[in-house]
Every structure is written in structure tokens, then in C-alpha cells.
Amino acid sequence: MANAWKKEKPMRPLLLLFSVTLVLIFIFFFLASRPSSNPSPPGLHPTIRTDLPIYPIPPFNCEECPQSHPVIANVVEGLSYPFIYSLADLGSLPEKPHKDIVRFLKGKPFRRPDISATIQGVLEKFKGEGRDNGLVVDVGANVGMASFAAAVMGFQVLAFEPVFENLQRICDGIYLNRVGDLVTVFEAAASDHPGNITFHKLVGRMDNSAISAAGAKLAFKNKEEVAVQVRTIRLDDVIPDSEPVLLLKIDVQGWEYHVLKGASRLLSRKASEAPYIIYEEDERLLQASNSSTKEIRNFLRGVGYNHCTQLGTDAHCTKLG
């Protein structure tokens, strides 16, 4: 009997561990069920806007969107107003992950996207001038690096993105940044006519997806391309004339001219009400979509934008009163 008792003795630590686990579970559920004595301010919780205008197409519903997976999200470094975004392109796992995944595993924040710093710089200037009442329109929102840069500063954002995988990541960011009351998303490609168009998704590089097949594969010729039908809409059909717009950002892999044409009425507003424009001006991508820098500049001059500055591959255009 003594020998038998000794064999059963190792079970006592397991029983103790089991008991402690039950106690911890009880404490967890007890604390979780208690009302908070110091609730967080309403702005820190994700909310759903109930005062949305009536748009010609319904906004994308993140509540009904299937959850993206895996979710790899992190804060962005080096910004006055930091935000979190979720990666859509993870690289080649596990052999060659995206550079930001490597940074994440080392405990570092994601690299600062240039467009995020640019957006916040422009909007910070507007705030200093007392111009903080107006929309930021993000065309080609990708995973929200421009949208969230504006939203965490308190600006209302309309974001346009046709790639479903990117929309999932935008939904991640809306929740993680608690900006559900500030960001309205449309599953559509902005263009110069409403309807549908063939869109070319580049597997593994969703940020390079484009309406032009040549434009989508310009930098990544060996990537697999998938053609899908997406909805197109004109910005003039979405944004009411009464709605002030501070900033229009466009990054659509060569389709910029068509987006601008679809916003002719918006861009024809008088100088004090016309939006500041930031658009990608890459001649190779523009030519792949049968347009050019010259064509865009001529169009913008025709609606009163007489001052454009090139900053990297982006053009910044304003009306001088």
C-alpha cells in the first residue's frame, strides 16, 4: 500500500493547479461582469454613424464583412497623430515575410507611410488656419493609411476602395482606431461614369491592383493577376454640393484622370471652397491607362487649379484666389 500511495502522490500538484485555474476563471468572469466605475469616453469606443446622408450606393458594412485573417496590425511610427493599420500583403510566408512583419516581431512599430505624414501635414496646416470643417476624400484607400491619418485627427473621411481584401483591412483599422463614427467606406472605384468595369487584382500585391491590366503588373510582372468586375461611381454623384471638402487624395495606379473628370463639379467650386488635391502622378502608370500628366494638368487648369507642385511621385494642386 505504501508503494501504491507513492505512485499517486504526483497527482496532488495537478489537483492544486486545477483548483487555482478554477479560482482564476471565477475571478475573471466576476470582474468582467461588473460595471466599470470609470467608463472610457464615448470617443474611445467604436460607433456606427446614424446620421449618414443618403448616398447613391450604400456604404460598405464592416459589421457584416467576414473577418480578415490572419490579422497583423501595429501602430505607425513617427507621426504626430499615430494610428494602427492592418497589413493586407504579408509577403511570402514563412520564408520572406513583409518587412513590417519583421519589425513587428522585433517589437518595432510599422514604418511610417509617406502619404500618412503628408496628409497630416496638410491637415495640421488647415487646422492652424481654422479650416477644420470639411471632408477628407480618400480615393484608392488601400488599407486606410491616408483615411486613418485624417480620422485620428478628428476629420470625417469618405474612403473609396474596390478590392475586398483591402476593405477587410480597413474594417480592422476602423475598429482598432475607434473611428467608426468618422470613416465611411464605399466598395467602389471612383471614375468618370457610373456602372461596372473590369479591375485587375495582383495576388500578393493588392496595393498595385488597377483598372489597367498593364498598370497593375508594371512593377511586378511575375505576379498572378485576377480580373474581377467592380462598381464604378462618380465623386460628383456621392458628394453633395452643400458638403464642404477640404482634401481630395487620389492614388489609383494610373486612373487619376478619370477620377478627376468624375469630380468636375466638386473641383469647379470657388477657390475658398475647392479641395486641396493630392494625386499620384506617375507617367508610366498614366500612359498604361491611356492618359498623361499633360492631360491631367490641362484638365485641372480648366477648372481653376492653376498651381501644382510635384513632391516625389505625388502632385499637390490648389487654386490661388
Side-chain angles (χ1 to χ4, degrees):
M1 289 297 294
N3 289 337
W5 178 82
K6 287 181 180 179
K7 289 180 180 179
E8 293 176 358
K9 188 175 181 180
M11 292 296 293
R12 295 179 63 188
L14 292 177
L15 290 172
L16 179 61
L17 178 62
F18 179 73
S19 301
V20 171
T21 302
L22 287 177
V23 171
L24 290 175
I25 290 173
F26 172 79
I27 292 172
F28 172 80
F29 281 106
F30 173 75
L31 293 176
S33 64
R34 295 178 59 190
S36 173
S37 59
N38 185 25
S40 301
L44 295 181
H45 293 288
T47 57
I48 300 174
R49 293 182 64 183
T50 58
D51 60 339
L52 289 172
I54 298 175
Y55 295 113
I57 63 172
F60 188 75
N61 191 337
C62 285
E63 296 291 323
E64 296 180 359
C65 175
Q67 176 63 53
S68 62
H69 61 84
V71 175
I72 300 178
N74 201 359
V75 71
V76 174
E77 68 178 359
L79 290 175
S80 300
Y81 301 86
F83 64 89
I84 299 169
Y85 79 90
S86 175
L87 286 176
D89 297 320
L90 306 181
S92 300
L93 298 176
E95 298 84 6
K96 194 176 180 180
H98 190 283
K99 291 181 181 178
D100 274 329
I101 295 179
V102 177
R103 292 176 63 91
F104 176 81
L105 294 175
K106 291 180 179 179
K108 296 180 179 180
F110 285 171
R111 293 170 300 172
R112 183 186 71 182
D114 290 340
I115 189 60
S116 305
T118 299
I119 293 289
Q120 290 194 354
V122 172
L123 294 177
E124 187 70 16
K125 181 181 178 182
F126 287 169
K127 290 181 74 171
E129 298 170 351
R131 300 169 58 198
D132 54 5
N133 179 30
L135 293 173
V136 174
V137 180
D138 184 5
V139 181
N142 195 251
V143 297
M145 291 175 284
S147 292
F148 299 139
V152 295
M153 295 179 70
F155 289 91
Q156 293 281 343
V157 179
L158 297 186
F160 296 81
E161 174 56 49
V163 178
F164 180 74
E165 292 83 354
N166 289 341
L167 289 164
Q168 288 181 298
R169 306 301 174 169
I170 290 175
C171 290
D172 292 342
I174 286 174
Y175 176 78
L176 294 170
N177 291 293
R178 307 299 194 261
V179 291
D181 57 337
L182 293 172
V183 179
T184 303
V185 189
F186 297 97
E187 185 179 9
S191 190
D192 51 358
H193 63 276
N196 294 282
I197 199 167
T198 301
F199 192 85
H200 302 271
K201 296 199 302 184
L202 211 57
V203 178
R205 283 306 303 252
M206 293 297 177
D207 55 328
N208 270 75
S209 300
I211 290 176
S212 163
K217 301 189 73 172
L218 200 58
F220 302 95
K221 299 185 185 300
N222 296 325
K223 290 288 184 181
E224 179 186 355
E225 169 205 331
V226 178
V228 296
Q229 287 290 305
V230 301
R231 169 180 268 170
T232 58
I233 192 164
R234 302 187 327 138
L235 293 181
D236 280 343
D237 294 334
V238 177
I239 302 169
D241 293 339
S242 59
E243 190 79 64
V245 178
L246 290 172
L247 175 61
L248 170 60
K249 167 261 173 185
I250 309 171
D251 183 353
V252 287
Q253 300 300 106
W255 204 250
E256 283 76 10
Y257 177 60
H258 303 277
V259 175
L260 291 165
K261 281 182 63 181
S264 298
R265 193 171 68 248
L266 168 65
L267 302 181
S268 297
R269 295 180 182 181
K270 61 184 181 181
S272 61
E273 298 175 359
Y276 187 106
I277 302 174
I278 302 174
Y279 71 92
E280 186 180 36
E281 193 174 67
D282 186 315
E283 189 65 32
R284 297 181 310 153
L285 290 171
L286 291 171
Q287 289 182 3
S289 296
N290 298 315
S291 66
S292 65
T293 298
K294 182 179 179 181
E295 187 174 33
I296 289 178
R297 293 293 181 97
N298 287 339
F299 169 79
L300 288 173
R301 278 192 291 269
V303 291
Y305 282 84
N306 48 21
H307 183 72
C308 288
T309 304
Q310 189 81 22
L311 297 175
T313 59
D314 291 335
H316 292 232
C317 297
T318 61
K319 292 186 178 183
L320 299 180

